[in-house]
């Protein structure tokens, strides 16, 4: 059985600052951002809410998707988030509880 990879978007609040990343441990990685365990953009701007994620079986596809999303216009990123999460609900609590 292969690994699973995730491309994710975090937000500071609805229409706030965004952060896009890739990981093979979504729960652990988002926890690191939420607890501000590493200094960087997410801790500086308090970007903690998981508002979107996508699942991949191939790391190369996941990395390519992350790079493409980072180059998107902000409006396109907002549209992507709102397609699946119109209220910008933090998906982490439910995801962590059911993982």
């Amino acid at each position: 059985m292969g690994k699973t990879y995730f491309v994710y978007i975090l937000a500071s609040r609805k229409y706030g600052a965004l952060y896009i990343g890739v990981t093979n441990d979504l729960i652990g990685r988002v926890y690191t951002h939420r607890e501000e365990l590493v200094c960087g953009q997410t801790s500086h701007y308090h970007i903690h809410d998981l508002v979107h994620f996508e699942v991949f079986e191939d790391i190369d596809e996941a990395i390519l998707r992350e790079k493409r999303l980072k180059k998107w216009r902000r409006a396109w990123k907002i549209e992507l988030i709102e397609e699946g999460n119109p209220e910008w609900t933090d998906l982490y609590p439910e995801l962590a509880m059911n993982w």
Side-chain angles (χ1 to χ4, degrees), residues 31 38 57 67 73 79 99:
Y31 177 84
V38 177
E57 292 183 6
K67 288 180 179 180
R73 294 179 180 187
E79 187 176 317
W99 202 258

Side-chain angles (χ1 to χ4, degrees), residues 4-9 21-23 26 50 52-57 61-62 65-66 69 72 80-81 83 91:
T4 303
Y5 304 93
F6 304 89
V7 174
Y8 61 95
I9 301 177
V22 65
T23 185
L26 185 60
L50 177 64
H52 176 82
F53 68 93
E54 300 172 11
V55 182
F56 296 84
E57 292 183 6
E61 286 181 31
R65 177 65 167 166
E66 177 203 27
L69 286 177
W72 277 20
L80 176 66
I81 293 165
E83 281 176 10
L91 305 172

